[in-house]
Amino acid sequence: GSLLWTRTWSKESSSSLEDLFVACSSNGEVLMYAGLNPGDATWGLVGRYYVPRPIGIRSVVLIGGEPHILTLQGIIPCSQLLQRTDVQSFISDKIRQAFISASSLYKANFGWQMCPYYQGYALLVNVPITEGVTSEQYVMNMLNGSWTRYTGMNASCIFTYSDNLYFGGMDGFVYQADITKTIYRYTR
């Protein structure tokens, strides 16, 4: 595969803060390096891990400073990889079958993306149903881990700015969402 994305991760360990450099390939190979500078003698490979194939070019997001990877089977936090268990635990396990079904049907469509919306205590996952026409969102409540699905907010991308939630509509306009603290209401 090819290099899909890189991120830095300042991970707290039992006694200190560890700086990691994380790189992920389009096939789901995740490499983690420790250190501040690749030129230093202290720079080194922490581990090589494998996750299911990531979905799209926007398949990573930082949640609480930790990289989370959007894969064909759900969302996996990088800390899960460090536990070195054979069983991978996804934060989307509650909707695993819906995730697997959607990724199977729509994985080739452009528009897959995650967006944490801290003001609304939500993590939104954009699922492009018909590329450039319709999408829906899987939304996780970050307080209790419950999930719901939003339809009708046909987003090609989702982002936050100044703690407000916005999305790029399929019609080329930018909309502000959650103007009344309910994400499904939006205005141009």
Side-chain angles (χ1 to χ4, degrees):
S2 59
L3 181 63
L4 190 59
W5 53 259
T6 62
R7 290 293 182 274
T8 57
W9 178 22
S10 294
K11 183 182 82 63
E12 286 187 51
S13 65
S14 58
S15 60
S16 65
L17 197 61
E18 183 178 25
D19 289 315
L20 297 175
F21 175 79
V22 183
C24 183
S25 80
S26 57
N27 287 333
E29 181 180 15
V30 179
L31 299 174
M32 293 187 198
Y33 294 87
L36 296 175
N37 183 341
D40 290 347
T42 58
W43 179 268
L45 183 66
V46 171
R48 174 177 283 155
Y49 311 95
Y50 295 91
V51 298
R53 186 180 297 266
I55 304 176
I57 60 172
R58 298 181 280 190
S59 59
V60 66
V61 70
L62 296 176
I63 301 174
E66 177 182 354
H68 285 62
I69 307 168
L70 178 63
T71 75
L72 293 174
Q73 294 184 15
I75 302 165
I76 187 165
C78 280
S79 59
Q80 177 64 219
L81 303 177
L82 296 174
Q83 294 178 13
R84 298 184 186 269
T85 63
D86 291 337
V87 178
Q88 292 179 337
S89 180
F90 298 81
I91 64 170
S92 54
D93 275 346
K94 289 181 181 178
I95 61 165
R96 186 178 192 99
Q97 290 309 313
F99 235 104
I100 291 171
S101 176
S103 68
S104 174
L105 292 169
Y106 314 121
K107 66 184 170 201
N109 293 352
F110 180 78
W112 284 89
Q113 177 190 3
M114 294 182 291
C115 179
Y117 174 45
Y118 296 109
Q119 189 75 9
Y121 306 105
L123 172 66
L124 289 87
V125 178
N126 197 52
V127 180
I129 305 299
T130 305
E131 189 173 320
V133 179
T134 57
S135 67
E136 63 185 21
Q137 293 74 38
Y138 295 157
V139 182
M140 183 186 80
N141 180 318
M142 290 200 282
L143 296 177
N144 61 23
S146 63
W147 286 85
T148 191
R149 181 175 65 120
Y150 290 161
T151 60
M153 191 171 91
N154 291 318
S156 59
C157 62
I158 303 171
F159 57 98
T160 58
Y161 178 74
S162 295
D163 294 330
N164 294 310
L165 182 66
Y166 297 90
F167 68 94
M170 302 292 184
D171 57 5
F173 289 97
V174 174
Y175 296 88
Q176 182 176 0
D178 197 22
I179 56 173
T180 62
K181 301 305 170 209
T182 53
I183 293 173
Y184 52 84
R185 296 197 51 192
Y186 52 87
T187 185
R188 260 201 265 205

